[in-house]
Amino acid sequence: MEMDTKGYRKSSTAMNNLPLSLIVGQQPIKTALLLAAVNPQMGGVIIAGGRGTGKSVMARALHRLLPPIEIVKGSRFNIDPNDERGEVDDFLSSELAASGKTVKDLESEVIECPFVQVPLNVLDDRLLGSVDVEQSVRQGKTVFEPGLLAKAHRGVLYVDDINLLDNELSNILLSVVSEGWVNVEREGISVRYPCRPLLIATFNPEESEVGRSNILLLLLLL
């Protein structure tokens, strides 16, 4: 895997994308993306346009501009070691309570800013996380496998053609954008973890309308 000049690992996603500066025109969209990157509390950006207008290219180009993030070493939820708001997953919270440590006492590592794409046909187990049956059998206890939303925390969560996403998944994304937390209730396990990604979504008005009006209230529509 290729390394950048600072020694961070570069994914194939980052290496194969065009820089935002090389995209001609579309200045309002570029500005919206940059503002959302600077202030993720905006909620995110929905980019409207027909096929071939560079929606996906611009979303991926923005990811190239985002700096690496520091996480608790080995965290599968991208927990910030400098967290002061108590935004840690239930597993780490239990470990800290048992050891008497704080998150700032733990080792950290630097990783590339995550870029997670949500497939249109994704199941909620894959999105939220679920019990890893194989590991649970091996270890003799319930083992939770984090989903896409856990991997997207503090990174970019990208949804192409959000207007084609089914209602249940749209409602899940709405909850994440508005609350910043994911709650998973499965047989034998209850998990809560933070999820504050920069949500970037695209849709083609020629195909269908965006059916989730509440999402549009939270995102900047272009």
Side-chain angles (χ1 to χ4, degrees), residues 39-60:
N39 181 19
Q41 292 183 356
M42 289 175 57
V45 178
I46 293 183
I47 305 173
R51 294 191 179 279
T53 55
K55 302 186 299 297
S56 299
V57 173
M58 283 185 284
R60 296 177 183 277

Side-chain angles (χ1 to χ4, degrees), residues 124 127-128 165-174 212:
D124 62 347
L127 189 65
L128 301 173
L165 207 61
D166 72 35
N167 290 346
E168 181 181 357
L169 296 181
S170 295
N171 288 331
I172 290 173
L173 292 179
L174 171 61
R212 303 265 64 84

Side-chain angles (χ1 to χ4, degrees), residues 20-116:
L20 196 62
S21 59
L22 291 184
I23 299 174
V24 179
Q26 308 287 13
Q27 194 57 46
I29 297 178
K30 293 180 186 177
T31 300
L33 289 170
L34 291 172
L35 288 173
V38 172
N39 181 19
Q41 292 183 356
M42 289 175 57
V45 178
I46 293 183
I47 305 173
R51 294 191 179 279
T53 55
K55 302 186 299 297
S56 299
V57 173
M58 283 185 284
R60 296 177 183 277
L62 177 71
H63 174 245
R64 293 194 59 180
L65 299 178
L66 299 178
I69 62 172
E70 184 180 9
I71 66 170
V72 171
K73 189 172 183 179
S75 172
R76 297 186 297 168
F77 300 88
N78 297 337
I79 300 303
D80 184 354
N82 300 305
D83 172 71
E84 296 181 348
R85 298 188 294 182
E87 294 189 343
V88 300
D89 58 273
D90 283 351
F91 303 106
L92 181 57
S93 180
S94 297
E95 291 177 15
L96 294 175
S99 66
K101 296 181 179 180
T102 68
V103 69
K104 293 183 179 181
D105 297 324
L106 305 178
E107 269 191 272
S108 66
E109 62 180 328
V110 176
I111 66 170
E112 183 182 45
C113 180
F115 184 96
V116 177

Side-chain angles (χ1 to χ4, degrees), residues 4 24 26 40-41 47 59 69 74 113 129 133 149 182 185 194-195 197 206:
D4 66 12
V24 179
Q26 308 287 13
Q41 292 183 356
I47 305 173
I69 62 172
C113 180
V133 177
L149 293 180
V182 176
E185 300 289 342
C195 182
E206 299 172 357

